[in-house]
């Protein structure tokens, strides 16, 4: 599969039926998800790996990771209606055996995985809504891919938080990201923002 093809497949998945602003339910754009997953694939973090998708939503990253050869993806999501959409998308690609749905808050997830992929809330509705995601990711995996706003204050926070957790930033790629305007103001149909896709890796010996 080529990256472009993956982006197209992921952008055609069913989206949130009734997106909840308080949960920051905007799907990961197919192109952003494909860039994140392609980086992960090229780093050897997907194929034959056990993956967790924290805040899996409609399953864009979950489906993509399975299509690229993950053996198992835990799709952790607390919203039941999002999980209905996720299951629909999983069935549409016949990857049921690859996906393990975990209907819970990310804080409750336990286990060890090879790789975390996630598109956490950016914290525009609830400041710091991304923190439980980062904390859990660093608890369950040595390698984490995550998406955050490309803003100086957010970058400073991420750099400090990641370092304190014993991780380093090995990659950071800045990409455009479209969010339906319902989550912000209604002046425009789409809000175009910029995000950073990160790869974090545990510093040897830190735990
Ligand atoms: N990557 C997904 C969704 C990203 S939006 C997609 O592309 O569809 C963030 C998701 O995190 C939403 O589905 C929201 O319901 C979920 N979420 C927010 N806070 C959560 C929490 N504390 N525990 C579990 N899921 C949460």
């Amino acid at each position: 599969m080529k990256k472009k093809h993956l982006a197209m497949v992921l952008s055609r998945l069913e989206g949130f039926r009734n997106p909840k602003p308080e949960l920051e339910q905007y799907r990961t754009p197919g192109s952003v998800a494909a860039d994140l997953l392609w980086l992960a694939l090229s780093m050897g973090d997907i194929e034959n790996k056990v993956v967790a998708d924290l805040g899996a939503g409609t399953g864009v990253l979950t489906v993509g990771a399975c299509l690229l050869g993950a053996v198992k993806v835990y799709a952790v999501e607390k919203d039941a209606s999002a999980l209905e959409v996720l299951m629909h998308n999983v069935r549409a690609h016949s990857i049921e055996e690859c996906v393990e749905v975990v209907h819970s808050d990310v804080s409750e997830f336990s286990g060890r995985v090879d790789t975390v992929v996630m598109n956490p809330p950016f914290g525009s509705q609830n400041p710091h809504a991304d923190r439980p995601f980062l904390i859990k990711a660093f608890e369950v995996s040595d390698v984490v891919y995550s998406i955050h706003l490309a803003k100086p204050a957010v970058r400073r926070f991420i750099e400090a938080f990641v370092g304190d957790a014993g991780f380093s930033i090995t990659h950071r790629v800045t990409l455009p990201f479209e969010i339906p305007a319902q989550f912000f103001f209604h002046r425009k149909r789409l809000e175009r923002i910029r995000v950073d896709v990160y790869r974090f890796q545990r510093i040897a010996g830190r735990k």
Side-chain angles (χ1 to χ4, degrees):
M1 187 177 317
K2 293 215 169 74
K3 183 161 87 172
K4 257 194 176 164
H5 182 223
L6 179 67
M8 197 183 67
V9 167
L10 297 181
S11 63
R12 287 187 183 159
L13 293 176
E14 187 177 331
F16 290 103
R17 289 171 189 155
N18 265 314
K20 301 189 174 81
E22 70 280 9
L23 290 179
E24 296 194 40
Q25 289 184 330
Y26 28 78
R27 65 193 300 202
T28 314
S31 62
V32 175
D35 278 339
L36 183 156
L37 290 166
W38 218 260
L39 173 63
L41 182 70
S42 75
M43 295 298 291
D45 294 328
I46 297 288
E47 238 176 327
N48 298 318
K49 299 292 181 184
V50 176
V51 176
D53 178 2
L54 303 183
T58 61
V60 174
L61 293 171
T62 293
V63 170
C66 288
L67 294 179
L68 293 182
V71 279
K72 171 74 62 197
V73 180
Y74 293 98
V76 185
E77 169 61 53
K78 71 175 177 185
D79 182 52
S81 58
L83 285 175
E84 276 175 31
V85 179
L86 180 139
M87 280 315 299
H88 168 89
N89 287 328
V90 165
R91 279 193 292 269
H93 285 279
S94 308
I95 49 166
E96 291 95 327
E97 78 294 343
C98 173
V99 179
E100 182 109 7
V101 168
V102 182
H103 183 195
S104 79
D105 196 284
V106 292
S107 316
E108 321 259 280
F109 177 65
S110 63
R112 278 298 291 173
V113 297
D114 299 307
T115 309
V116 165
V117 295
M118 62 182 186
N119 177 203
F122 294 143
S124 47
Q125 304 295 319
N126 301 304
H128 314 319
D130 52 352
R131 290 188 198 185
F133 284 73
L134 288 166
I135 290 168
K136 180 53 68 177
F138 295 150
E139 186 188 310
V140 301
S141 186
D142 292 343
V143 176
V144 175
Y145 292 83
S146 189
I147 305 173
H148 301 272
L149 288 178
K151 288 186 173 172
V154 175
R155 285 182 174 169
R156 281 194 298 275
F157 160 71
I158 294 287
E159 283 158 16
F161 195 90
V162 165
D164 287 348
F167 279 68
S168 67
I169 298 169
T170 64
H171 296 71
R172 182 170 72 196
V173 189
T174 305
L175 299 170
F177 188 113
E178 289 183 347
I179 296 182
Q182 81 220 51
F183 291 108
F184 295 95
F185 309 104
H186 292 272
R187 282 175 291 129
K188 288 184 255 162
R189 197 172 62 81
L190 282 176
E191 194 71 28
R192 284 195 177 77
I193 60 170
R194 285 163 70 74
V195 296
D196 291 324
V197 170
Y198 289 90
R199 180 178 183 275
F200 306 125
Q201 184 168 26
R202 192 184 305 277
I203 298 164
R206 295 281 301 269
K207 174 76 208 209

